[in-house]
Structures are given as structure tokens and as C-alpha cells.
Amino acid sequence: GAVVSQHPSWVICKSGTSVKIECRSLDFQATTMFWYRQFPKQSLMLMATSNEGSKATYEQGVEKDKFLINHASLTLSTLTVTSAHPEDSSFYICSARGASSGSGELFFGEGSRLTVL
Amino acid sequence: DAKTTQPTSMDCAEGRAANLPCNHSTISGNEYVYWYRQIHSQGPQYIIHGLKNNETNEMASLIITEDRKSSTLILPHATLRDTAVYYCIVSTYGGSQGNLIFGKGTKLSVKP
């Protein structure tokens, strides 16, 4: 099946710094990517929808200036957590849908665990 | 998207069939039923999806009632590695509107 890869799988940073997470579709072109966040013992929450070549669409309550999303190519989307604080510590997961996704499912990355000290 | 209702948790004996129910009484005519699972600290894994007809693949079977208001995911021979949180999601097919809204899912524990 299609593969979506995230990097890094985990990262620890100091409060106030910025962290970039990459999401790549390895064997298909992803016109649309989605970014989710998951806090411990909770379900995934959609943060934003990223479309190649256009601005991301953010869900209500998600600060677009804090969570910068760039989808510059059909195989790469990045999420940058700017001026990270301990409350941003979470499991960030991306998913991708192909340009001609015949079966309809979304493919998810392995997730990136962010810990802000 | 329509909401779904799933039991919070279920246990299943290893080797037995695991039947996970899901209610989606407000599903729209153009919405599919998707099942994903999430093993601890990993990204969700696609299992199966369907619209009206029952579906089967190498992982599981999906039984959708005729009125489409509920469905059941069947893992025919559960193994310890099937222990995970299983999410039943209804969503339109494809396009940027086809994102998935996750509920709380069912935590399936497969026991030896």
C-alpha cells in the first residue's frame, strides 16, 4: 500500500524554539494532506488541511501563525510549530490522499512526538 | 460529517472472532463507513471501508445494515497484535472535504 513517512519521529526542544515536522508521500503524489494532533489518551483532532500550491485551511481554534503549514510539492508537506511551549507537547500525525486515490482511504504517517521542555 | 457511537472497550480471546459494532444513525447517502485502527504510539492504519454492500479484505470484514444506520467490523481470528483502538468514521469520498473526523473509538484488548 501507499506509504506516508514523517520525520522526525520524536523531538525534544526548549520552550520558545521552533520545530519543523516533515510529511512525505513516498510512492504517490498527494494533492491533499491533513495534519492531526493527539494528546495522551485522547483521539486525533484535525488541525488543518494542506493543499499543494495553496494556503492551508485551519480548523477552528488552531492558530495559523503558530502552526505554519507548507505544501510546496506533491510529495511534501511541513508543519512548523513556532515558539513552542510545553502545552504544544503532543503527537502530531499527518495523512495524505493521492491525486487519483481510487480506494478512498487516507494513508497516515507514523506520527511525530513533540516534547517541549 | 455524521457522528458515530462505539463501545468504549471490548475484550476478545486470541483466535476468536472480534466483532466491533458502530452506530451511525444520521449517516448521509453519500457518506462511506471507514474503519481505522491505531496501535499505541503509531499512526492510524486503514482497515476497510464501504458504502452499502458488505466488504471483505485480507484484514477484516465489514457488515453494513440495510438501512446503513449501523455496521460491524469483524476480525475473523484475532491475534494479540490486533490489540488497538478501532475507529469507525463516516465521511464523504475523496477531495479535500474527505478528511476524517475521529471519535473516541473502541479499545480492543485481545487476551491470550
Side-chain angles (χ1 to χ4, degrees):
Chain A
V3 178
V4 175
S5 179
Q6 284 184 240
H7 178 81
S9 56
W10 59 270
V11 57
I12 301 173
C13 70
K14 293 182 179 180
S15 184
T17 60
S18 294
V19 174
K20 180 185 286 188
I21 301 170
E22 294 185 346
C23 177
R24 294 180 184 273
S25 55
L26 298 185
D27 53 358
F28 68 102
Q29 293 184 327
T31 53
T32 304
M33 288 184 171
F34 303 97
W35 285 95
Y36 292 82
R37 178 169 55 183
Q38 185 176 32
F39 292 108
K41 297 186 179 181
Q42 294 187 22
S43 188
L44 284 77
M45 292 179 56
L46 180 67
M47 298 177 66
T49 300
S50 171
N51 294 300
E52 187 268 336
S54 64
K55 291 183 178 180
T57 303
Y58 290 81
E59 295 298 303
Q60 190 173 8
V62 178
E63 300 176 58
K64 62 180 180 181
D65 294 331
K66 181 169 182 62
F67 299 99
L68 302 179
I69 292 173
N70 185 285
H71 193 161
S73 77
L74 286 172
T75 60
L76 174 64
S77 176
T78 60
L79 168 68
T80 301
V81 183
T82 62
S83 186
H85 289 93
E87 58 265 30
D88 298 323
S89 297
S90 188
F91 192 49
Y92 292 87
I93 308 168
C94 73
S95 66
R97 182 184 302 281
S100 57
S101 181
S103 52
E105 72 265 30
L106 285 180
F107 302 102
F108 285 83
E110 315 95 322
S112 300
R113 187 165 300 282
L114 170 64
T115 301
V116 184
L117 302 177
Chain B
D1 286 350
K3 293 183 178 179
T4 62
T5 304
Q6 299 177 252
T8 303
S9 64
M10 292 181 64
D11 289 343
C12 177
E14 187 179 19
R16 305 296 293 269
N19 297 285
L20 291 89
C22 179
N23 286 322
H24 32 79
S25 58
T26 60
I27 190 171
S28 300
N30 63 342
E31 289 181 317
Y32 288 68
V33 180
Y34 292 84
W35 282 85
Y36 283 76
R37 71 179 182 184
Q38 187 179 25
I39 296 170
H40 183 62
S41 293
Q42 297 183 25
Q45 177 189 19
Y46 167 82
I47 301 174
I48 199 168
H49 76 284
L51 182 63
K52 295 181 180 179
N53 300 323
N54 297 337
E55 302 288 344
T56 296
N57 62 21
E58 64 277 4
M59 290 184 67
S61 294
L62 173 61
I63 308 298
I64 303 174
T65 57
E66 191 169 345
D67 62 7
R68 303 217 312 134
K69 293 184 177 182
S70 65
S71 61
T72 301
L73 178 74
I74 301 173
L75 307 178
H77 306 286
T79 69
L80 298 178
R81 287 179 292 182
D82 291 323
T83 293
V85 178
Y86 287 77
Y87 297 98
C88 168
I89 304 165
V90 293
S91 180
T92 54
Y93 181 104
S96 61
Q97 286 71 41
N99 55 292
L100 301 178
I101 306 299
F102 286 77
K104 296 184 178 181
T106 296
K107 184 174 183 178
L108 175 68
S109 298
V110 181
K111 301 181 182 300

